[in-house]
Amino acid sequence: MALGSLLLISACFGQEVQSPQPPVKTEQRGRILGIGGVFFKSANRGPMREWYSKHLGLADKGGGVMLPWRERDDPQKEHATVWTIFPDSTDYIPATQQFMVNYIVDDLDALLDRLKQEGVKIDAKRMNASYGRFAWIYDADGNKIELWQPLSAKP
């Protein structure tokens, strides 16, 4: 995020914003490695896809846009953030939310164990796919968050 954007956010919300700091590297398992996906809903998926393609270069032809990146501390580790528009009628994203963020984690079980001990609301549902394991938690406002451990991030 550009410094100008941070200053604009600061002015709008009346809070002091400091330069972003890199995450603290720890040896603890169950860490967030990055953003695996940004998903949002639209009742007008076609026109929305066209708008994002034309104005921002995000050309989603139905399978989402893959935005590749590498880990800062280990540039050999490649990841991708998926950006996609879901139909407004989807039940994948709760009706109370317009967006859902997916975080890449290094050890899903370790993270869920720690979050359970910390009293975080955890969805009982789990999903195993050919590209990794998934679980869902809820933040303090009740927003659903997706956690994803790619197959390459095995402990």
Side-chain angles (χ1 to χ4, degrees):
M1 180 179 277
L3 183 56
S5 298
L6 288 172
L7 294 174
L8 178 61
I9 292 168
S10 173
C12 290
F13 293 99
Q15 298 175 352
E16 182 179 333
V17 176
Q18 299 177 358
S19 296
Q21 299 296 316
V24 176
K25 186 174 181 182
T26 65
E27 297 304 317
Q28 179 181 8
R29 299 293 298 170
R31 296 178 301 121
I32 301 293
L33 299 176
I35 296 176
V38 176
F39 314 131
F40 67 98
K41 300 185 286 191
S42 174
N44 304 301
R45 288 174 75 198
M48 283 291 278
R49 284 180 175 150
E50 289 175 23
W51 189 94
Y52 275 94
S53 179
K54 178 181 178 180
H55 299 292
L56 300 179
L58 297 171
D60 179 358
K61 303 211 184 315
V65 177
M66 304 298 273
L67 303 166
W69 55 276
R70 295 175 183 268
E71 287 186 27
R72 180 177 155 226
D73 294 334
D74 190 353
Q76 297 303 312
K77 290 187 180 174
E78 297 180 21
H79 298 280
T81 298
V82 178
W83 178 95
T84 194
I85 303 170
F86 279 77
D88 199 38
S89 61
T90 186
D91 59 1
Y92 195 73
I93 301 170
T96 57
Q97 291 177 229
Q98 204 56 28
F99 291 85
M100 184 168 65
V101 176
N102 163 298
Y103 292 104
I104 299 173
V105 302
D106 64 349
D107 186 333
L108 186 61
D109 295 324
L111 179 57
L112 291 173
D113 287 345
R114 188 175 78 246
L115 294 174
K116 182 178 180 180
Q117 291 174 7
E118 294 170 355
V120 172
K121 181 180 176 185
I122 300 172
D123 194 312
K125 180 181 175 186
R126 299 288 179 274
M127 186 175 89
N128 294 317
S130 61
Y131 44 89
R133 300 172 52 223
F134 294 84
W136 295 267
I137 62 171
Y138 297 86
D139 69 14
D141 282 346
N143 296 306
K144 189 175 186 180
I145 298 167
E146 187 170 72
L147 303 174
W148 169 42
Q149 179 181 326
L151 292 181
S152 61
K154 291 180 184 172

